[in-house]
Amino acid sequence: MLDISFIRENVDLIKETARNKGVDVDVDRLVLVDGRRRELIQSVERLQQERNANSKLVKSAKGEEKDRLIERTKGINQQIKELEAELEKVMTEYQELMLRVPNPPTPDTPVGEDDSDNVEVKRVGEPPQFPFTPRNHVELMEMHRMVDIERGVKVAGSRSYYLINDGALLHRAVIQFALDQLGKKGFTPMVVPVLVNEMALVGTGYFPLGAEQTYHVEKEDKYLVGTAEVSLASYHYGEILTEGELPKRYAGVSDCFRREVGSAGRDVFGLYRVHQFSKVEQVIICRNDEEESKRLHYELLQNAEEILQGLELPYRVVQVCTGDMGQGQIRKHDIETWMPSRGNYGETHSCSTFHDFQARRLKLRYREDNGELKYCHTLNNTAIASPRILIALLENHQTEDGRIRIPEALQPYMGKEFIG
């Protein structure tokens, strides 16, 4: 959510941002509703003041004057009641429109429609050149009984799976490896709730625009998270932190659930795009300062790169264009890891800066040393997501005889050098 004063002063910028991000919001209507909202608030406050003044006069008045003041007070109360009823309706529309307003990206963000317009920043490592016909991850996993997709679909429906034997162990190994790496950098490890109230999803910007991607548990009126970011960023909901305790660095471990509406026929082979997966998410809450946000953004990005380097995987970093950004992001980079079966890089990490967009929704502030209250800035980035990362691990490290070499960094977690 943005400051309404900023929106009023930058209507053209907000309209341009909505067009570039593909967000449907009527900015002119918002400005009109905001104007009526302010008029009603002023009218109610003016009448309340008059009522209070009348109430004081009633105490000393007598006769017809007292009766006149009492009647006037009754009339004021009726006017207030009618205005407050209208104000309630106006506020409902105002809040709905405010929740749809997108956050303007940084000036250096490339303008584009989708991920094909993202701009490559760098590449690290070289894709392997196999002297044999490489197998895809499903073939490798079935060869070593690491996965059972057929029974996963039977039990849970499309895009479901069982990880078995070394599949389960490798999954747990990459999760723990990422968590350990972040622990060395001062991140607080957290196992977070995956079933949350609507407040947490509205607060982090996943509602209302992303509601169709979220599983709703109707009986309890709660929702399954698609990332630990939701629970981590909401951890300090409604709180006032101190400047001295910032920045806060959290590493959240969770199962994640996404409906993947609209992705039928796209990236659905094997374990690339599934409904349930596990993730270690990095979240930072910091001061309201662009230079600090920018520095921490690249810190998060570097953390993810170091994890991929430890896994000995080739990857590239892209700067995400406007059409591929979320509503609240002002700066975003994706990391795409080489996946031989796709003959291309596949997204495995997303690094995002929001400034105070989430904090305003979450009522998350801090008190500066001088006593002034400010909204925090929030940032997040994937540390690891599995089983998608297993695609790259298995396919890049396979040998001609079908074995899979385990990267040195994972060998202590797996207790061996090869699978198979």
Side-chain angles (χ1 to χ4, degrees):
M1 185 178 291
L2 303 183
D3 185 342
I4 186 60
S5 299
F6 178 83
I7 296 172
R8 288 190 215 113
E9 296 166 5
N10 297 275
V11 170
D12 290 341
L13 173 63
I14 300 302
K15 288 181 178 180
E16 180 186 16
T17 299
R19 285 194 301 271
N20 290 339
K21 285 193 171 186
V23 175
D24 182 17
V25 58
D26 190 336
V27 183
D28 290 329
R29 177 64 183 171
L30 172 59
V31 173
L32 184 66
V33 171
D34 172 54
R36 182 56 181 158
R37 175 187 70 93
R38 287 186 289 161
E39 289 175 1
L40 288 168
I41 291 173
Q42 290 171 357
S43 297
V44 169
E45 290 176 347
R46 185 172 60 252
L47 287 169
Q48 288 173 337
Q49 291 172 356
E50 185 179 348
R51 181 183 60 187
N52 293 339
N54 270 17
S55 297
K56 292 179 180 178
L57 292 173
V58 165
K59 294 178 181 178
S60 57
K62 295 180 181 180
E64 292 182 1
E65 177 65 13
K66 185 172 186 176
D67 292 340
R68 185 186 67 80
L69 289 170
I70 290 173
E71 283 302 310
R72 176 57 185 154
T73 301
K74 289 180 180 178
I76 292 172
N77 284 335
Q78 182 60 32
Q79 284 182 278
I80 291 174
K81 183 177 180 181
E82 291 171 0
L83 289 174
E84 286 180 336
E86 183 183 354
L87 179 59
E88 184 177 355
K89 293 179 181 178
V90 169
M91 284 299 298
T92 298
E93 184 178 4
Y94 171 77
Q95 290 293 342
E96 289 174 352
L97 288 166
M98 284 291 285
L99 289 175
R100 301 183 71 87
V101 176
N103 205 4
T106 57
D108 65 336
T109 300
V111 176
E113 294 184 2
D114 52 38
D115 58 4
S116 64
D117 294 317
N118 294 342
V119 176
E120 183 174 310
V121 175
K122 66 175 178 179
R123 294 191 183 196
V124 176
E126 292 294 328
Q129 300 297 317
F130 297 108
F132 57 90
T133 301
R135 299 175 173 86
N136 64 52
H137 66 284
V138 175
E139 293 171 326
L140 290 166
M141 295 183 86
E142 288 180 343
M143 175 187 295
H144 300 295
R145 188 155 169 71
M146 298 171 69
V147 71
D148 193 327
I149 293 176
E150 182 178 347
R151 288 188 174 93
V153 171
K154 177 181 70 175
V155 171
S158 64
R159 301 192 223 178
S160 300
Y161 56 91
Y162 284 88
L163 293 179
I164 304 170
N165 299 321
D166 282 327
L169 296 177
L170 187 61
H171 167 85
R172 294 292 296 271
V174 295
I175 295 293
Q176 190 60 50
F177 170 66
L179 196 60
D180 289 348
Q181 293 301 106
L182 294 179
K184 296 173 184 176
K185 295 176 176 291
F187 282 72
T188 300
M190 299 176 71
V191 176
V192 305
V194 297
L195 194 62
V196 300
N197 296 320
E198 184 179 19
M199 165 277 295
L201 288 152
V202 172
T204 48
Y206 286 93
F207 279 11
L209 301 187
E212 66 175 5
Q213 297 293 349
T214 307
Y215 286 102
H216 184 201
V217 182
E218 294 186 12
K219 191 172 182 179
E220 284 77 21
D221 194 22
K222 296 185 187 296
Y223 300 84
L224 290 168
V225 301
T227 168
E229 171 202 341
V230 173
S231 304
L232 291 174
S234 302
Y235 184 60
H236 293 288
Y237 173 83
E239 296 182 20
I240 297 176
L241 307 176
T242 64
E243 185 172 10
E245 62 186 304
L246 299 177
K248 287 186 173 294
R249 293 174 171 87
Y250 295 128
V253 185
S254 73
D255 289 325
C256 305
F257 306 86
R258 294 183 185 173
R259 294 183 63 210
E260 297 291 1
V261 174
S263 63
R266 182 169 63 92
D267 298 332
V268 296
F269 174 73
L271 300 178
Y272 189 83
R273 195 176 294 278
V274 292
H275 292 304
Q276 177 183 340
F277 54 97
S278 296
K279 198 176 179 189
V280 179
E281 185 76 7
Q282 310 174 73
V283 165
I284 292 181
I285 300 169
C286 70
R287 296 184 307 121
N288 193 311
D289 180 85
E290 159 60 8
E291 287 305 311
E292 182 169 328
S293 288
K294 186 175 183 179
R295 175 176 58 80
L296 292 172
H297 179 95
Y298 287 102
E299 175 187 311
L300 291 175
L301 194 60
Q302 182 62 31
N303 291 344
E305 289 192 61
E306 289 176 3
I307 288 169
L308 286 177
Q309 290 164 14
L311 297 178
E312 302 172 34
L313 294 172
Y315 65 90
R316 70 173 188 165
V317 179
V318 299
Q319 185 176 11
V320 175
C321 73
T322 53
D324 196 30
M325 295 179 87
Q327 177 194 7
Q329 296 152 341
I330 65 105
R331 177 182 294 111
K332 183 177 181 182
H333 288 84
D334 281 352
I335 301 179
E336 301 174 349
T337 306
W338 180 258
M339 299 179 181
S341 64
R342 296 167 65 88
N344 205 342
Y345 294 90
E347 179 201 326
T348 53
H349 300 71
S350 286
C351 186
S352 304
T353 297
F354 291 86
H355 279 177
D356 60 6
F357 181 85
Q358 291 181 326
R360 286 181 178 275
R361 291 170 172 241
L362 293 167
K363 302 178 178 63
L364 173 54
R365 297 175 293 173
Y366 70 99
R367 192 179 302 278
E368 291 187 317
D369 294 338
N370 62 11
E372 183 179 354
L373 284 175
K374 286 191 175 181
Y375 285 101
C376 299
H377 279 189
T378 60
L379 310 91
N380 68 73
N381 187 18
T382 319
I384 207 76
S386 180
R388 184 176 291 189
I389 198 64
L390 302 188
I391 299 173
L393 271 170
L394 297 167
E395 293 183 356
N396 282 287
H397 296 317
Q398 64 180 295
T399 61
E400 187 170 6
D401 59 6
R403 293 184 302 160
I404 297 108
R405 181 180 63 82
I406 298 172
E408 187 175 345
L410 284 184
Q411 290 177 15
Y413 299 89
M414 293 293 291
K416 53 187 175 184
E417 297 179 12
F418 286 88
I419 292 173

